Amino acid sequence: MAALSNSQMDKLTSDIFSVLENNFLFGYENPPSLPDAKSAAGKVRILSIDGGGATDGILAAKSILHLESTLRRKSGNENAHISDFFDVVAGSGIGGVLAALLFTRGKNDRPLFTAGEAVKFVTENGRRLCRFSKPGILRRAFRSTASVFDRTFGDLTLKDTLKTVLIPCYDLTTGAPFVFSRADAVEMDGCDFKLTDVCAATTAANGPTKTTSVDRKTKVVAIGGDVAMNNPTAAAITHVLYNKNEFPFCNGVDDLLVVSLGNGEPSSLTAGNGAPSRTAMVKIVGEAVSDTVDQAVSMAFGQARKSGYVRIQGNKGLFGVDKKYVNMSVQADDMLKQHNVESVLFQGKKCNSTNLEKLEFFAGEILKENERRKTDMLPMVLLNRTTTSSSARTSSATTVSTISSS
């Protein structure tokens, strides 16, 4: 047998991982199609947004703003919103707030916020929503956070979102992550929550937040999503692969197009003795887990990662080197100009084009899928818009054990 080239070996390794991945997810009794088999209909487009990093959501918001501007320019539609180009959004912490702002139905069935308005929101409120407060001001900080969300979302619930939305928190009642899911909310009243409560739960950095479903039957005692699942990309992918009701033709990573947005690596906040502060330590742990998720997802995509998966993340070393970054918006702009760091299968990481150039390229891939769907007879997404009985199936992404316990 002739020796295989490096590219052939990478392709073979990727195929093996894809088969193992599908067997793990779906079991050996229902074997998946071969990795090279072409999907019946295009790609499911996923947007994933990390919890608050050193920029408290501004990097992710600026990334979305640039992506939305690029999509508007390339599509020729100046009134397009980011939600027009994605089928699924997952957000944790301040990323969950961004997901809710950009994918909740407002007037005339259009999103509540544009990307530009979302940037303004996190610039004005990001630090207040994501930073740990001293015990003496805990109650005042919580009241302030609740009022911000009340003014923004009012009585809107998960059922009022435009696309599949996934927003995690950590539930102290069950000792497990809980993912607020539009799919579950539509199918089961016990999983429908007010978006004000969802956002308060996923940003609950200042202490446990009690959240109750609209029908008062499900109770969650939440700690922030960036503690439970700082990078929700893997949860979003798992949700899509398992949810055959809404994504019937999605069988593996070859059928996905994923844009994952980080929020910058943790700053060098230290206590007086040089050790990281408690706030910095929580952020360090969250970003370390996010990096692990990025590596795992990149490995799952293998050769398909070049056109199927991108991670936008600030590079280490930018923080603490210059006091000019008192303006987080300026810092986020500089981070987008940095070289993009790509996780490579079994080869660590490498720098390539800039974050902005990556976003430009993936905007093109997203628009290709948009154009393809205009002529395809098979729908890639069948969004459920009707409420069924309380015995309905729940999505794999959501921990619903609180329903029985409450």
Side-chain angles (χ1 to χ4, degrees), residues 39-45 87 240 243-251 255 369-385:
S39 167
K43 294 177 181 289
V44 174
R45 302 160 301 179
D87 307 304
V240 171
N243 189 351
K244 293 301 180 184
N245 283 1
E246 294 186 330
F247 310 101
F249 300 112
C250 189
N251 298 310
D255 303 322
E369 175 61 18
N370 244 37
E371 292 301 311
R372 188 203 61 76
R373 292 188 185 187
K374 291 178 181 179
T375 58
D376 203 316
M377 297 293 292
L378 293 173
M380 194 64 192
V381 181
L382 298 173
L383 195 64
N384 189 354
R385 298 188 182 278

Side-chain angles (χ1 to χ4, degrees), residues 218-236:
T218 306
K219 296 181 176 67
V220 176
V221 181
I223 293 291
D226 47 359
V227 176
M229 197 183 299
N230 196 56
N231 181 349
T233 306

Side-chain angles (χ1 to χ4, degrees), residues 24 30 40 62 96 135 149 165 167 170 323 353 361 381-382 393:
F24 174 77
N30 184 23
K62 282 294 188 79
F149 294 141
V165 173
I167 300 176
Y170 186 85
K323 293 184 179 180
S353 53
F361 173 79
V381 181
L382 298 173
R393 170 197 65 81

Side-chain angles (χ1 to χ4, degrees), residues 164-165 181-188 239 243 246 384 393 395:
T164 297
V165 173
S181 164
R182 180 197 180 279
D184 291 343
V186 170
E187 293 185 354
M188 184 182 293
H239 175 90
N243 189 351
E246 294 186 330
N384 189 354
R393 170 197 65 81
S395 76

Side-chain angles (χ1 to χ4, degrees), residues 117-137:
E117 291 167 341
V119 169
K120 182 180 179 182
F121 182 93
V122 298
T123 301
E124 295 175 350
N125 301 291
R127 288 189 178 187
R128 182 152 46 109
L129 299 178
C130 296
R131 296 293 174 89
F132 288 89
S133 299
K134 295 179 181 179
I137 61 173

Side-chain angles (χ1 to χ4, degrees), residues 74 306-307 356-366:
K74 290 189 173 185
K306 293 182 180 179
S307 60
L356 287 175
E357 289 168 340
K358 278 283 188 178
L359 287 172
E360 288 271 346
F361 173 79
F362 270 80
E365 296 299 301
I366 292 167

Side-chain angles (χ1 to χ4, degrees), residues 94-299:
I94 191 65
V97 177
L98 283 168
L101 294 174
L102 296 165
F103 284 78
T104 296
R105 183 178 288 105
K107 294 180 180 179
N108 301 319
D109 286 338
R110 301 303 290 153
L112 278 178
F113 277 46
T114 64
E117 291 167 341
V119 169
K120 182 180 179 182
F121 182 93
V122 298
T123 301
E124 295 175 350
N125 301 291
R127 288 189 178 187
R128 182 152 46 109
L129 299 178
C130 296
R131 296 293 174 89
F132 288 89
S133 299
K134 295 179 181 179
I137 61 173
L138 175 59
R139 184 171 298 179
R140 186 175 62 192
F142 177 77
R143 285 201 303 267
S144 175
T145 299
S147 64
V148 169
F149 294 141
D150 277 331
R151 289 194 304 269
T152 304
F153 297 106
D155 292 327
L156 295 172
T157 75
L158 284 167
K159 290 182 181 180
D160 295 306
T161 51
L162 294 161
K163 301 289 181 71
T164 297
V165 173
L166 304 166
I167 300 176
C169 69
Y170 186 85
D171 182 13
L172 293 177
T173 304
T174 59
F178 184 99
V179 181
F180 299 100
S181 164
R182 180 197 180 279
D184 291 343
V186 170
E187 293 185 354
M188 184 182 293
D189 289 337
C191 291
D192 191 23
F193 292 79
K194 290 177 64 176
L195 287 167
T196 292
D197 295 336
V198 171
C199 291
T202 198
T203 57
N206 293 309
T209 297
K210 293 183 179 180
T211 302
T212 307
S213 61
V214 173
D215 67 357
R216 315 300 295 176
K217 292 183 179 179
T218 306
K219 296 181 176 67
V220 176
V221 181
I223 293 291
D226 47 359
V227 176
M229 197 183 299
N230 196 56
N231 181 349
T233 306
I237 292 173
T238 303
H239 175 90
V240 171
L241 293 179
Y242 270 100
N243 189 351
K244 293 301 180 184
N245 283 1
E246 294 186 330
F247 310 101
F249 300 112
C250 189
N251 298 310
V253 294
D254 289 339
D255 303 322
L256 299 174
L257 199 162
V258 180
V259 177
S260 175
L261 304 178
N263 263 317
E265 299 201 10
S267 62
S268 55
L269 297 174
T270 58
N273 59 1
S277 66
R278 288 181 61 190
T279 302
M281 187 63 73
V282 171
K283 292 182 182 295
I284 288 169
V285 172
E287 293 301 330
V289 173
S290 291
D291 192 56
T292 302
V293 172
D294 174 38
Q295 288 274 2
V297 172
S298 181
M299 288 177 66

